[in-house]
CSV table of all heavy atoms in Angstrom, one decimal:
chain,number,residue,atom,x,y,z
A,1,PRO,N,-28.4,-16.8,-2.1
A,1,PRO,CA,-28.3,-16.2,-0.7
A,1,PRO,C,-29.3,-16.7,0.3
A,1,PRO,O,-29.1,-16.6,1.5
A,1,PRO,CB,-28.5,-14.7,-0.9
A,1,PRO,CG,-29.4,-14.6,-2.2
A,1,PRO,CD,-29.0,-15.8,-3.0
A,2,LEU,N,-30.4,-17.4,-0.2
A,2,LEU,CA,-31.4,-17.8,0.7
A,2,LEU,C,-31.0,-19.0,1.7
A,2,LEU,O,-31.3,-19.0,2.8
A,2,LEU,CB,-32.7,-18.2,0.0
A,2,LEU,CG,-33.8,-18.6,0.8
A,2,LEU,CD1,-34.2,-17.6,1.9
A,2,LEU,CD2,-35.1,-18.9,-0.1
A,3,TRP,N,-30.3,-20.0,1.1
A,3,TRP,CA,-29.9,-21.1,1.9
A,3,TRP,C,-29.0,-20.8,3.1
A,3,TRP,O,-29.3,-21.2,4.2
A,3,TRP,CB,-29.4,-22.3,1.1
A,3,TRP,CG,-28.1,-22.1,0.5
A,3,TRP,CD1,-27.7,-21.8,-0.7
A,3,TRP,CD2,-26.8,-22.5,1.2
A,3,TRP,NE1,-26.3,-21.8,-0.9
A,3,TRP,CE2,-25.8,-22.2,0.3
A,3,TRP,CE3,-26.5,-22.9,2.5
A,3,TRP,CZ2,-24.5,-22.4,0.6
A,3,TRP,CZ3,-25.2,-23.1,2.8
A,3,TRP,CH2,-24.2,-22.8,1.9
A,4,PRO,N,-28.0,-19.9,2.9
A,4,PRO,CA,-27.2,-19.5,4.1
A,4,PRO,C,-28.0,-18.7,5.1
A,4,PRO,O,-27.7,-18.8,6.3
A,4,PRO,CB,-26.0,-18.7,3.6
A,4,PRO,CG,-26.1,-18.7,2.1
A,4,PRO,CD,-27.4,-19.3,1.7
A,5,ILE,N,-28.9,-17.9,4.6
A,5,ILE,CA,-29.8,-17.2,5.6
A,5,ILE,C,-30.6,-18.1,6.4
A,5,ILE,O,-30.7,-18.0,7.6
A,5,ILE,CB,-30.7,-16.2,4.8
A,5,ILE,CG1,-29.9,-15.1,4.2
A,5,ILE,CG2,-31.8,-15.7,5.7
A,5,ILE,CD1,-30.7,-14.2,3.2
A,6,LEU,N,-31.2,-19.2,5.7
A,6,LEU,CA,-32.0,-20.2,6.4
A,6,LEU,C,-31.1,-20.9,7.5
A,6,LEU,O,-31.6,-21.2,8.6
A,6,LEU,CB,-32.6,-21.2,5.5
A,6,LEU,CG,-33.7,-20.5,4.5
A,6,LEU,CD1,-34.1,-21.5,3.5
A,6,LEU,CD2,-34.8,-19.9,5.3
A,7,VAL,N,-29.9,-21.2,7.1
A,7,VAL,CA,-29.0,-22.0,8.0
A,7,VAL,C,-28.7,-21.0,9.2
A,7,VAL,O,-28.7,-21.5,10.4
A,7,VAL,CB,-27.6,-22.3,7.4
A,7,VAL,CG1,-26.6,-22.8,8.3
A,7,VAL,CG2,-27.9,-23.4,6.3
A,8,SER,N,-28.5,-19.8,9.0
A,8,SER,CA,-28.2,-18.8,10.2
A,8,SER,C,-29.5,-18.6,11.0
A,8,SER,O,-29.4,-18.6,12.2
A,8,SER,CB,-27.8,-17.5,9.6
A,8,SER,OG,-26.5,-17.7,8.9
A,9,LEU,N,-30.7,-18.6,10.4
A,9,LEU,CA,-31.9,-18.6,11.1
A,9,LEU,C,-32.1,-19.8,11.9
A,9,LEU,O,-32.6,-19.7,13.1
A,9,LEU,CB,-33.1,-18.3,10.2
A,9,LEU,CG,-33.3,-16.9,9.7
A,9,LEU,CD1,-34.3,-16.9,8.6
A,9,LEU,CD2,-33.8,-16.0,10.9
A,10,ALA,N,-31.7,-20.9,11.4
A,10,ALA,CA,-31.8,-22.2,12.2
A,10,ALA,C,-30.9,-22.1,13.4
A,10,ALA,O,-31.3,-22.5,14.6
A,10,ALA,CB,-31.3,-23.4,11.3
A,11,GLU,N,-29.7,-21.4,13.3
A,11,GLU,CA,-28.9,-21.3,14.5
A,11,GLU,C,-29.6,-20.4,15.5
A,11,GLU,O,-29.5,-20.6,16.7
A,11,GLU,CB,-27.5,-20.7,14.1
A,11,GLU,CG,-26.5,-20.6,15.2
A,11,GLU,CD,-25.1,-20.2,14.9
A,11,GLU,OE1,-24.8,-20.3,13.7
A,11,GLU,OE2,-24.4,-19.8,15.8
A,12,VAL,N,-30.2,-19.3,15.0
A,12,VAL,CA,-31.0,-18.4,15.9
A,12,VAL,C,-32.0,-19.2,16.7
A,12,VAL,O,-32.1,-19.1,17.9
A,12,VAL,CB,-31.6,-17.3,15.1
A,12,VAL,CG1,-32.6,-16.5,15.9
A,12,VAL,CG2,-30.6,-16.3,14.6
A,13,GLU,N,-32.8,-20.0,15.9
A,13,GLU,CA,-33.9,-20.8,16.5
A,13,GLU,C,-33.3,-21.8,17.5
A,13,GLU,O,-33.9,-22.0,18.6
A,13,GLU,CB,-34.7,-21.5,15.5
A,13,GLU,CG,-35.5,-20.5,14.6
A,13,GLU,CD,-36.5,-19.7,15.4
A,13,GLU,OE1,-36.9,-20.0,16.5
A,13,GLU,OE2,-36.9,-18.6,14.8
A,14,ALA,N,-32.2,-22.4,17.2
A,14,ALA,CA,-31.6,-23.4,18.1
A,14,ALA,C,-31.1,-22.7,19.4
A,14,ALA,O,-31.3,-23.2,20.5
A,14,ALA,CB,-30.4,-24.1,17.4
A,15,ARG,N,-30.5,-21.5,19.3
A,15,ARG,CA,-30.1,-20.8,20.5
A,15,ARG,C,-31.3,-20.4,21.3
A,15,ARG,O,-31.2,-20.2,22.5
A,15,ARG,CB,-29.3,-19.6,20.1
A,15,ARG,CG,-27.9,-19.8,19.6
A,15,ARG,CD,-27.1,-18.6,19.5
A,15,ARG,NE,-25.9,-18.8,18.8
A,15,ARG,CZ,-24.9,-17.9,18.7
A,15,ARG,NH1,-25.1,-16.7,19.2
A,15,ARG,NH2,-23.8,-18.2,18.1
A,16,CYS,N,-32.4,-20.2,20.7
A,16,CYS,CA,-33.7,-19.8,21.5
A,16,CYS,C,-34.4,-21.0,22.0
A,16,CYS,O,-35.5,-21.0,22.6
A,16,CYS,CB,-34.6,-19.0,20.6
A,16,CYS,SG,-33.9,-17.4,20.2
A,17,GLY,N,-33.9,-22.3,21.7
A,17,GLY,CA,-34.5,-23.5,22.2
A,17,GLY,C,-35.6,-24.0,21.3
A,17,GLY,O,-36.3,-24.9,21.6
A,18,ASN,N,-35.8,-23.4,20.1
A,18,ASN,CA,-36.8,-23.8,19.1
A,18,ASN,C,-36.2,-24.8,18.2
A,18,ASN,O,-36.0,-24.6,17.0
A,18,ASN,CB,-37.3,-22.6,18.4
A,18,ASN,CG,-37.9,-21.6,19.3
A,18,ASN,OD1,-38.4,-21.9,20.4
A,18,ASN,ND2,-37.7,-20.3,19.0
A,19,HIS,N,-36.0,-26.0,18.7
A,19,HIS,CA,-35.3,-27.0,17.9
A,19,HIS,C,-36.0,-27.6,16.7
A,19,HIS,O,-35.4,-27.9,15.6
A,19,HIS,CB,-34.8,-28.2,18.8
A,19,HIS,CG,-33.8,-27.6,19.8
A,19,HIS,ND1,-32.5,-27.2,19.5
A,19,HIS,CD2,-34.0,-27.5,21.2
A,19,HIS,CE1,-32.0,-26.8,20.6
A,19,HIS,NE2,-32.8,-26.9,21.7
A,20,VAL,N,-37.4,-27.6,16.8
A,20,VAL,CA,-38.2,-28.1,15.7
A,20,VAL,C,-38.1,-27.1,14.5
A,20,VAL,O,-38.0,-27.4,13.4
A,20,VAL,CB,-39.7,-28.3,16.1
A,20,VAL,CG1,-40.6,-28.6,14.9
A,20,VAL,CG2,-39.7,-29.5,17.2
A,21,ALA,N,-38.3,-25.7,14.9
A,21,ALA,CA,-38.1,-24.7,13.9
A,21,ALA,C,-36.7,-24.7,13.2
A,21,ALA,O,-36.6,-24.6,12.0
A,21,ALA,CB,-38.4,-23.3,14.5
A,22,ALA,N,-35.7,-24.9,14.1
A,22,ALA,CA,-34.3,-25.0,13.6
A,22,ALA,C,-34.1,-26.1,12.5
A,22,ALA,O,-33.6,-25.9,11.5
A,22,ALA,CB,-33.4,-25.1,14.7
A,23,GLN,N,-34.7,-27.3,12.9
A,23,GLN,CA,-34.6,-28.4,12.0
A,23,GLN,C,-35.3,-28.2,10.7
A,23,GLN,O,-34.9,-28.5,9.6
A,23,GLN,CB,-35.1,-29.7,12.7
A,23,GLN,CG,-35.0,-30.9,11.8
A,23,GLN,CD,-33.5,-31.2,11.4
A,23,GLN,OE1,-32.5,-30.9,12.1
A,23,GLN,NE2,-33.3,-31.7,10.2
A,24,SER,N,-36.5,-27.5,10.8
A,24,SER,CA,-37.3,-27.2,9.6
A,24,SER,C,-36.5,-26.2,8.7
A,24,SER,O,-36.5,-26.4,7.5
A,24,SER,CB,-38.6,-26.6,10.0
A,24,SER,OG,-39.4,-26.2,8.9
A,25,LEU,N,-35.9,-25.3,9.3
A,25,LEU,CA,-35.1,-24.3,8.5
A,25,LEU,C,-33.9,-25.0,7.8
A,25,LEU,O,-33.6,-24.7,6.6
A,25,LEU,CB,-34.6,-23.1,9.3
A,25,LEU,CG,-35.7,-22.2,9.7
A,25,LEU,CD1,-35.3,-21.4,11.0
A,25,LEU,CD2,-36.1,-21.3,8.6
């Protein structure tokens, strides 16, 4: 379950403009 959570968190970060954090996730 962790990897889809990380992918969704990456989408959250991308929507917030945090593209480096999104890529890391």
Side-chain angles (χ1 to χ4, degrees):
L2 182 56
W3 73 264
I5 290 170
L6 295 173
V7 169
S8 296
L9 279 168
E11 186 175 343
V12 167
E13 294 299 339
R15 286 191 188 188
C16 292
N18 302 326
H19 299 291
V20 172
Q23 184 58 33
S24 176
L25 288 162

